Structure formats: structure tokens, C-alpha cells
Amino acid sequence: MLSRDEDRAGQAPLLDLREVDETQVSVVGGKAAHLGALSRIDGIRVPAGFCVTTAAFRRIMAQTPSMDDRLDQLSRLSADEREAIRTLSAEIRRSVEETPIPGDLAAAITGALDRFGEQAAYAVRSSATAEDTPTASFAGQQDTYLNVVGPEAILRHVSRCWASLFTERAVIYRLRNGIDHRTVQMAVVVQQMVFSDAAGILFTADPVTGNRTVATVDASFGLGEALVSGLVNPDVFTVRDGEVVAGTVAAKQRAVTALPGGGTREVAIEAQRQEQPALTQAQVLRLVQLGRRIEAHFGRPQDIEWCLVDDDFQIVQSRPITTLFPIPAADDQENHVYLSVGHQQMMTDAMRPLGLSMWQLTAIAVMLEAGGRLFVDATRLLASPTSRAGFLEMVGKSDPLMRDALQTLLDRPDFIPTLPDGGGPARLTTGGASTSIETDPAIVTELIERSRASIAALRRDIATVTGTALFDFLLEAFKEHKRVLGDPLNMQAIMAGMEATWWLNDRLHEWLGEKNAADTLTLSAPGNVTSEMGLALLDVADVIRPYPEVVAFLQDVAHDDFLDELPKVAGGAEARAAIKAYLDRYGMRCVGEIDITRPRWSERPSTLVPVLLDNVKLFEPGAARRRFEQGQQRARQQAQEVLTRLRALPDGQQKADETARMIDRVRAFIGYREYPKYDIISRYFIYKQALLAEAERLVRAGVLAETEDVFYLTFQEFHEVVRTHRVDDELIRRRREEFLSYQALTPPRVLTSDGEAITGAYRRDDLPAGALAGMPVSAGTVEGRARVILDMAQADLEAGDILVTAHTDPSWTPLFVGIAGLVTEVGGLMTHGAVIAREYGLPAVVSVLDATRLIRDGQRIRVHGSDGYVEILS
């Protein structure tokens, strides 16, 4: 212990690095906690030093004038208010730096320097309490000062480190990550300076692909500042299985070195040394061994800063690599291939634990969780020759990028071992007219009636149970849920429409040269609950449009209780009745609806108001009926034209008869494709209402702080809390933090058990220069203004706009009636957005990588829905 003085909370103002570890982040910050832990690992050398703890920071903050008022002002700013942030953060930094360090604290710091000598050189480094944690690295957000010499300079730079908590970049980082400025505190590390011959960074996993079996080393001459600041291109070495498998030696023209009296400078490296490697291969392998030891201690891949002095490595920092996507847990050491469920369900956002566990409990397939997303293990399907081809064909129809990613893995020797014939599941049926179901619309009617009866029974019976009995009831309800979903007739009806679509596209392209012929043949198909949902909101707009006061009222809606106030304006009672009727039918839906924790439209009806106002503005009365009838007419005309052209071919009557049968089949069943999801989400809303009522009882009993705490528990954990009336508040806090970190991650389509994320690619040479490749899912070409919209509630459309977004589940359908075309980053031929785009006759291209980043809001674009690409025109 360097100082016996303690603050009022009992915390020492100074601690030796050897006294701290990962459990003391709140006292010494993330960087110091990791350095202390590193110093305890056998064989790892860490420069000696001490930490000025957060107790000292709190004293300084309390003495800094007007700090509370300024923090209040800062918390009211948004991350986009850059100029205001710049001005206010500069004021705060200046005030902190000008606040004198109390005499006893200054004496403690200067006294701690005696062990190394007053004129020894030090690195003075910030160590924030939210820094270098598993969920947020905060890399580069605060300041580090190298080669600081003398007590006065040390004290001055300690103040600068405190002040660096309020750099513009650090403030914006906290605002964007929802971190309260008052909850983050700053400790300062004062460490003996290392005058390195070479320095750099070691990643114990590939930071680009995520592969945990690969380590990469960046190295340059002199101090590591040259590499971190981007002054030089480093040497880069790749290591796998104890062998350097790739290495690039850069021309390192500059280096950063220490000045004798303090500070650093840039120097030129002599010409004969510039292209010499900064490390030998033996040193690279030794460094990676040290890295693996550090990784094993912390239990996750690490980003490590190292220095080399006289052939001896010293570690000056280690932090988790927070950008890596987690790997699903496996109970063996075999290779596994995981496919993203979110890319199939059109919801790639992170889900909370209750949402994840509910989907796992109600899904037919076994699903694994990682990074707040769900995955299925496809290893056995790919390993078996009897199932591989059919599985790849099915995946390709759904998501060509996922198929390409799988083929990339299959092309690698030995990653997926081939099972003997008969060792895997039977071949999957994925195309053609193989289903035995007849073209009988009564089948759809029967299935819908069964669904409604089952849901009505669920709603009636669940109202009679509470407490632990509710959870027992739900486990039985989940069995009924899966029975309805897995009913053979239900699966046949779904596949009948999909297979008929594929058959029509394949055969009519072969016989007539028609691309995506089914797109027009499925326009305004009957019984599609999702497309009906979009058209029904046009009918609500018809009710509202004649009442200017209602329109004006809705333009100012800011809260979800607006329906209670609506009847006070002229026409408000009629408008409220129309909106309520819509919510009664569709209010269980919402964006990201597979996550039960997401707010439903019934819970947050203001979400629909922007779309409703767009419908009032963009359409004339009766638009829903006209639009549906026009689609029907176009589909009939297309069918007549196709059949006439077929009859003129050799064997034309037979081809026409087969095609007519498939047109009847697709018209009978393609609309039902959307109903099972409607059934699932209807049940989910009933489950949610019962679970929230239980959570409210726990809040009233003082067990929970707020009802939404249960969102961060699994179903099983929630059950246990109800049984015991005890909850782990720390678990809920940690899960909240994890969820925030998972939101920042991009889930891969394909992930291996090595942690490698494989994106896949379009291997096409038929595109215009600069065009963005995608999957054609709805025919036609349209040109218009791109509206890049990531939140449906922020929609503001004009006639002719093209919607560009990450993904669209059924809840986006109300937007579709007001757009001219669709571009998404995720999707396939039979996903919801594609089905509805065809129903509405919208040219659409899906699975366009990074579309929301590469296309700017307001640009003119051209969507080629038949050929599968997007051109950026301006």
C-alpha cells in the first residue's frame, strides 16, 4: 500500500499495480485492473507503477467549479450536436486541469515516485472505470502521456488524464452507447517508462474474420506510439498452430523515440534498417505464446500492447477484443458450422434473454444463442452427402450469400468431414412440384380456423392462472404452439405456394425466357394476412383524411396515450374507433416481433402515426380496394398471356395445362405463406401480457425494481424468481450491459466454431460498373429517391421513394404501400419482405451487402428487380 490515507468511502487514493486485479475496476479503472492482473500471470512482465484511484478523481470533481451544472448540460445533448459538445467539453477539461491537486494528494503521488528516483521517466495513462471491459473497450477515448519526467510534470499530466474523460470523442462515445457521464470515473496509472527497441499490438484472434485459431502481430521500431498514431505501416505476421503462416515486412521510414529530458519525437529510420523486420520469427512465436497465456487468464481473446527491450517482452496493456462475435457453446471439440436464424427471420438485431429463450422454447428446430442472436448448427446436414446438395439448394433460394459462405467452407479440405452414406439426415425436398397437397383453397380456410380456435382457447385458459402455475401452463402451451406450427398439413400448405413459385419461375424462364414470371402471377393473391395489414392502414387513412383537426392532432403526437385524447377533436371519435379496430386485428405486431420483449403496436401505437400520416398525404380515398383489384387484374392478364404463348410451343397444350395448374396452386397457397408467422406473433402477445402481469406483481412485492427487468432473465430464470421471490440484481445489471454491447455487433450469416465469420459474395461479372449486387425477388425496374430508414417510426415518405433498410419483417408492410421499390441488406426469395413486394408489385432487390451504408439517404437510385442489382445514379 503506497498511502494509508483513505477517502470517506474507505478507498485509498493510491495503490501499487501489484495490489490490484480485475475485481477492482470501480477503484482503479479498466486499464489498471488489467495491468494488475497481468502482473500476477506467471511469465508476464509488466512495467512497475502505481495507480491514482478514483477516490482522488472524486475529490477533484467535487472541487471543480460548476461541475454539476455542466454535466447536466452535457447529458441533455445528443451525439449529433458536435459543436455544443466541443465547446462544453473543452470548458470542462480546462476547469479540471486548472483545479489544484490537494496538498496531501500531491504529496502522496510525489512520494510514490521515490522508489524509482525523482528524475525517472514515466508513462502517465488514463484508466476509466468503463474502459477495457468485456462489453466496451473505449480504446483511444482518453489520454496517455509518455516519457514524463519530474514531479511537477507528473502532477500536471495526472490532471490532464482526469480531464481527458471529457474529450469530445469520449463524450460522444458515451452518448452513443447510452452511458451516463456521472457513472464513469477516472483513475490514472503512473508506470515506469519502457524505452523499447520495437513495439506493437498482438491480437490473439483475427480481428477481421474473428477466427480464434489465428493470432496477428503488428510490429514497428521504437515506441508503440508510431503504430497507434498511424505514423507507420507496421510489419504484420499471422500465426496459426505455432507457425508463422504469413508475414509482410513494411518499409518503416519513421519511428517515435523518447527525448532525454522528457517527451517524445519522430525520427527517420536509416535506409538500410527500414525494410528489416522489427521482430524475428522466433520472437513472433514467443510473443504469441505469451498472448495465449494472457488470453487463457482472462478467458476471452485479447488486444495486447507490447514492447521489446533487449529481446525481452514487456506487456503494457491488454483489453478484450470487443468487436468479435461470440461463438455458440458446444459440448465437444469438433468443428461446427452455425447459420444465423435472424437472417431467415428478417430480424438481425440483438435480442434480450427472455426473447431468446422464448423463441428457443417455441421453435421446432434446436437453436443456439450467441451475441444476443440465435443460430442453428448445420454441420451434419453439410457433412452428409445425402443431404448436402438439397440443403445448399434450399439455402441458396433463401439467401445466396449464405450459400456462397457455406460453399467457401466446403471447399476447404477437412473442415467439414464427410460422413458415410446414410450417416446423416435424408435428402431435403426443396423444389419442383413434389408436394402431394391439392389445389384446394378450403385447406387454407381449415388451417386458419384451426389456428383461431387454438388461439382463442389459449387466451381464455391463460387468464385463469398466475404465479408458478402460469409457467407450468406456458410449458404446455408451447407444446400446442409447436404442434400447430409443425402440423403436416400446415407445412404442406406453406411449401405448396413456395414450390409452385419456384416451378413457375424455372419453367417459364426455360420455355418462354421470362425472368421471375411468378412475381406478376402472385399479385394480390388472396388470404395474405400481411399484405392485408398494409392495405387496411390505407382504409384507416380514409377515415382520418376528411378531418383536418384529426390530422393536425396526429402531427403533434408525442406519447402513446394519444388515443385517449383523440375524441376531443372534431372527427376524433371516428378516427379512434378506426385505429382501435386496426390494433385489435394487428396490434400484436411490431418491428423485430420475434423478440417477445419488443414493444407491440398495441403497447406503442404512436409507432404507426408517421405511416398513417404518409397514407393520408400520398393516397386518394379507396386506394386499398383499387390497388388490390389492379393487382388481381394484372395477374389475370399475365396468366392469360403466358398460357397463350405456351400453347404456341411444341407440346404447348401440355405445358399450358401444367402451368395453369401451378398458377392455380400459387394463387391458392402463396398468401397462406404469411399466416403461420401471424399465428406465432398472436400467441406471443398473449404470452407477453401474462408474463408482464406477473412481473408487475413482483414489482408491487418489492422483488423487482421495474417490470422490464424480467426481459434480462431467461424464461426458466423468471420462473425461479416467481417461485422464490428472490432476484439477482447484479445478473440483471450485467445482462443489460451485455445487451448494449451485442447491439453494436453485426451478426454473421455463417459462423464457425473457430469464431470465423464468413459473409459470402456474389460472383457475377454481368453488372454495370459500381452497381450493388443483390438477389432479385420482385420483378421490374424503378428509379427514384432512396430513403434510408432504419426505424419505421422515423419514416417520412414522398411518392416515388425507394425504401432502403437493413431488413423488413411483416411489421414493415404498412410502409410498402407508399413506396416505389425496395432494397434490403437481408432477405431471400420467400422471406416476408419479398413476398409482400411481389404482392404489391414493387421492384425489389434483397441481400445487398451494406446497402444502408453504401446508399446515402436522398440519392437517386435505380432498382433492377428482375436482374438483382442496384445502381447509384447521383
Side-chain angles (χ1 to χ4, degrees):
M1 184 77 67
L2 292 172
S3 173
R4 295 294 176 187
D5 298 326
E6 298 184 346
D7 74 348
R8 283 175 294 181
Q11 182 181 309
L14 266 67
L15 290 172
D16 190 285
L17 282 180
R18 291 170 297 185
E19 296 181 273
V20 303
D21 59 25
E22 309 99 303
T23 66
Q24 294 165 279
V25 171
S26 64
V27 177
V28 297
K31 184 177 291 151
H34 276 75
L35 287 169
L38 284 165
S39 67
R40 298 164 184 238
I41 303 174
D42 185 41
I44 303 299
R45 291 198 57 194
V46 177
F50 60 91
C51 180
V52 185
T53 69
T54 55
F57 174 75
R58 287 194 295 273
R59 287 182 65 183
I60 294 299
M61 291 291 283
Q63 294 171 18
T64 301
S66 305
M67 181 56 72
D68 279 339
D69 289 343
R70 285 168 171 162
L71 288 179
D72 286 341
Q73 293 176 51
L74 207 58
S75 66
R76 288 193 291 268
L77 297 175
S78 73
D80 297 326
E81 296 178 86
R82 303 295 288 270
E83 191 57 43
I85 291 171
R86 185 177 299 118
T87 301
L88 187 53
S89 62
E91 289 177 10
I92 295 173
R93 289 198 308 278
R94 187 163 54 249
S95 295
V96 172
E97 289 184 33
E98 292 173 355
T99 298
I101 299 178
D104 60 326
L105 180 57
I109 294 171
T110 55
L113 303 175
D114 290 344
R115 64 188 278 203
F116 304 114
E118 198 173 82
Q119 294 305 307
Y122 296 88
V124 183
R125 314 172 69 193
S126 64
S127 181
T129 54
E131 185 176 2
D132 295 351
T133 66
T135 57
S137 75
F138 279 74
Q141 300 306 312
Q142 286 87 39
D143 289 347
T144 288
Y145 301 96
L146 301 179
N147 199 31
V148 182
V149 178
E152 282 190 26
I154 295 288
L155 292 173
R156 187 167 63 252
H157 285 84
V158 167
S159 290
R160 287 182 177 177
C161 280
W162 285 329
S164 73
L165 190 64
F166 300 100
T167 61
E168 182 184 350
R169 62 184 181 272
V171 168
I172 290 172
Y173 187 95
R174 290 196 293 273
L175 289 172
R176 285 183 174 160
N177 286 275
I179 299 170
D180 187 341
H181 302 297
R182 297 176 190 273
T183 63
V184 184
Q185 299 182 44
M186 180 68 80
V188 181
V189 175
V190 181
Q191 231 176 337
Q192 199 169 13
M193 182 68 189
V194 177
F195 300 101
S196 54
D197 304 315
I201 299 171
L202 160 65
F203 294 99
T204 63
D206 189 316
V208 178
T209 69
N211 194 323
R212 272 57 161 188
T213 68
V214 172
T216 63
V217 175
D218 292 3
S220 62
F221 293 124
L223 303 179
E225 184 63 21
L227 190 156
V228 174
S229 64
L231 181 65
V232 297
N233 291 323
D235 300 339
V236 180
F237 304 94
T238 303
V239 177
R240 181 188 287 114
D241 298 329
E243 179 183 355
V244 178
V245 295
T248 302
V249 177
K252 300 170 288 295
Q253 298 176 344
R254 312 284 295 174
V256 174
T257 62
L259 292 167
T264 61
R265 67 174 178 181
E266 294 179 19
V267 298
I269 297 176
E270 53 270 28
Q272 65 271 24
R273 277 190 77 212
Q274 288 180 5
E275 297 192 16
Q276 291 180 5
L279 296 177
T280 66
Q281 287 207 6
Q283 288 171 331
V284 169
L285 294 177
R286 182 153 47 94
L287 176 61
V288 170
Q289 287 178 340
L290 295 175
R292 293 297 182 206
R293 196 174 301 169
I294 294 169
E295 178 184 67
H297 175 85
F298 290 117
R300 64 186 67 237
Q302 297 287 300
D303 165 359
I304 299 167
E305 294 182 23
W306 55 269
C307 297
L308 180 71
V309 183
D310 299 328
D311 197 36
D312 184 25
F313 286 106
Q314 296 201 42
I315 305 301
V316 294
Q317 187 162 335
S318 183
R319 62 168 73 94
I321 308 176
T322 58
T323 56
L324 297 180
F325 202 89
I327 308 170
D331 56 6
D332 58 38
Q333 299 301 310
E334 302 298 321
N335 289 341
H336 292 269
V337 181
Y338 304 108
L339 306 189
S340 165
V341 173
H343 284 79
Q344 301 297 314
Q345 289 294 331
M346 302 298 99
M347 212 294 276
T348 57
D349 297 344
M351 296 169 66
R352 294 172 181 83
L354 185 61
L356 290 165
S357 65
M358 290 290 286
W359 192 261
Q360 287 173 303
L361 286 166
T362 53
I364 295 176
V366 175
M367 296 187 181
L368 308 169
E369 183 273 331
R373 278 79 169 188
L374 292 168
F375 294 84
V376 293
D377 188 341
T379 313
R380 287 186 62 80
L381 285 168
L382 294 167
S384 169
T386 58
S387 63
R388 182 187 301 143
F391 181 64
L392 287 175
E393 181 186 353
M394 181 183 71
V395 170
K397 289 180 182 295
S398 173
D399 188 330
L401 291 173
M402 188 176 283
R403 189 204 186 287
D404 185 80
L406 291 176
Q407 191 61 56
T408 298
L409 274 176
L410 289 167
D411 290 342
R412 296 177 183 173
D414 303 328
F415 187 84
I416 303 175
T418 299
L419 295 174
D421 283 341
R427 179 182 176 87
L428 300 177
T429 299
T430 61
S434 59
T435 183
S436 60
I437 200 167
E438 295 300 323
T439 306
D440 182 1
I443 293 173
V444 170
T445 303
E446 178 187 347
L447 286 167
I448 291 174
E449 286 306 315
R450 286 187 197 176
S451 166
R452 288 174 176 166
S454 177
I455 290 171
L458 171 65
R459 185 177 290 109
R460 180 192 66 236
D461 295 342
I462 202 170
T464 65
V465 289
T466 59
T468 57
L470 170 65
F471 292 83
D472 295 334
F473 173 89
L474 284 172
L475 289 174
E476 291 301 314
F478 297 162
K479 294 178 183 177
E480 168 68 2
H481 180 125
K482 290 195 278 190
R483 187 199 65 75
V484 171
L485 193 61
D487 183 329
L489 188 62
N490 179 58
M491 301 304 294
Q492 284 183 329
I494 294 170
M495 289 306 298
M498 294 169 63
E499 290 180 345
T501 300
W502 296 332
W503 190 95
L504 288 166
N505 281 338
D506 290 346
R507 296 295 185 273
L508 296 182
H509 186 261
E510 175 189 346
W511 294 337
L512 300 176
E514 286 270 349
K515 286 185 178 179
N516 302 317
D519 294 0
T520 305
L521 295 169
T522 55
L523 285 169
S524 297
N528 188 318
V529 68
T530 306
S531 63
E532 289 169 359
M533 178 175 69
L535 296 175
L537 202 61
L538 287 176
D539 291 334
V540 177
D542 286 352
V543 174
I544 289 170
R545 193 178 292 107
Y547 301 109
E549 289 185 41
V550 171
V551 174
F553 174 89
L554 292 176
Q555 287 170 339
D556 293 328
V557 163
H559 303 287
D560 288 308
D561 58 1
F562 72 94
L563 289 173
D564 295 333
E565 300 296 318
L566 189 53
K568 296 178 182 178
V569 303
E574 293 85 344
R576 183 182 186 276
I579 296 172
K580 286 284 289 180
Y582 185 86
L583 292 174
D584 288 343
R585 176 87 164 113
Y586 304 110
M588 78 293 290
R589 312 217 80 150
C590 68
V591 172
E593 61 191 11
I594 69 169
D595 182 355
I596 199 172
T597 71
R598 291 287 191 99
R600 310 286 129 175
W601 289 343
S602 288
E603 297 168 321
R604 194 170 292 173
S606 61
T607 303
L608 290 171
V609 170
V611 187
L612 191 51
L613 289 171
D614 280 343
N615 287 351
V616 170
K617 175 179 64 176
L618 298 176
F619 294 95
E620 295 295 324
R625 176 181 48 77
R626 284 196 304 276
R627 187 166 190 146
F628 187 78
E629 289 174 352
Q630 287 166 1
Q632 283 184 318
Q633 185 176 359
R634 284 185 59 196
R636 283 195 296 266
Q637 290 172 344
Q638 175 76 350
Q640 291 169 0
E641 180 188 333
V642 162
L643 295 175
T644 299
R645 292 171 61 193
L646 286 173
R647 291 187 185 102
L649 299 176
D651 299 322
Q653 190 58 50
Q654 180 182 344
K655 291 182 172 74
D657 291 345
E658 287 183 65
T659 301
R661 190 166 65 253
M662 284 300 167
I663 291 173
D664 288 345
R665 181 170 290 177
V666 83
R667 298 291 299 178
F669 292 109
I670 198 61
Y672 183 73
R673 164 74 181 84
E674 293 294 301
Y675 201 87
K677 185 72 169 286
Y678 179 79
D679 176 288
I680 292 170
I681 302 307
S682 297
R683 294 173 190 275
Y684 263 36
F685 193 37
I686 297 170
Y687 304 154
K688 181 179 184 179
Q689 289 172 310
L691 290 170
L692 281 181
E694 206 58 48
E696 287 165 3
R697 281 188 276 274
L698 291 171
V699 171
R700 290 195 296 271
V703 178
L704 294 176
E706 53 186 81
T707 56
E708 292 194 359
D709 283 351
V710 298
F711 292 168
Y712 299 94
L713 302 173
T714 65
F715 178 85
Q716 296 84 351
E717 290 166 346
F718 189 0
H719 187 181
E720 188 66 11
V721 171
V722 170
R723 189 183 69 81
T724 63
H725 269 219
R726 293 203 305 270
V727 67
D728 185 344
D729 292 326
E730 176 59 24
L731 174 67
I732 290 173
R733 185 199 62 76
R734 189 172 71 250
R735 292 266 180 82
R736 285 183 191 273
E737 289 184 357
E738 288 174 349
F739 175 68
L740 285 173
S741 71
Y742 293 155
Q743 284 182 307
L745 299 177
T746 300
R749 281 175 160 81
V750 175
L751 182 68
T752 73
S753 48
D754 289 339
E756 184 178 2
I758 306 177
T759 302
Y762 291 105
R763 306 182 190 281
R764 298 173 58 179
D765 55 10
D766 61 335
L767 301 182
L772 307 179
M775 183 178 190
V777 295
S778 186
T781 300
V782 66
E783 181 179 320
R785 180 180 67 156
R787 293 311 317 271
V788 181
I789 299 173
L790 300 179
D791 181 355
M792 185 176 134
Q794 303 301 317
D796 182 15
L797 298 170
E798 299 290 344
D801 282 350
I802 297 170
L803 174 62
V804 180
T805 191
H807 46 75
T808 60
D809 61 12
S811 70
W812 284 76
T813 301
L815 275 185
F816 283 24
V817 298
I819 60 175
L822 175 68
V823 179
T824 68
E825 295 178 337
V826 175
L829 188 63
M830 284 299 165
T831 50
H832 302 280
V835 171
I836 304 306
R838 290 194 292 273
E839 288 260 351
Y840 287 172
L842 301 175
V845 179
V846 302
S847 275
V848 180
L849 275 176
D850 297 326
T852 59
R853 182 177 61 82
L854 298 173
I855 300 172
R856 294 196 305 275
D857 187 57
Q859 282 184 315
R860 287 195 69 77
I861 62 174
R862 186 180 296 129
V863 177
H864 296 263
S866 300
D867 296 311
Y869 65 93
V870 180
E871 291 181 280
I872 300 174
L873 304 179
S874 62

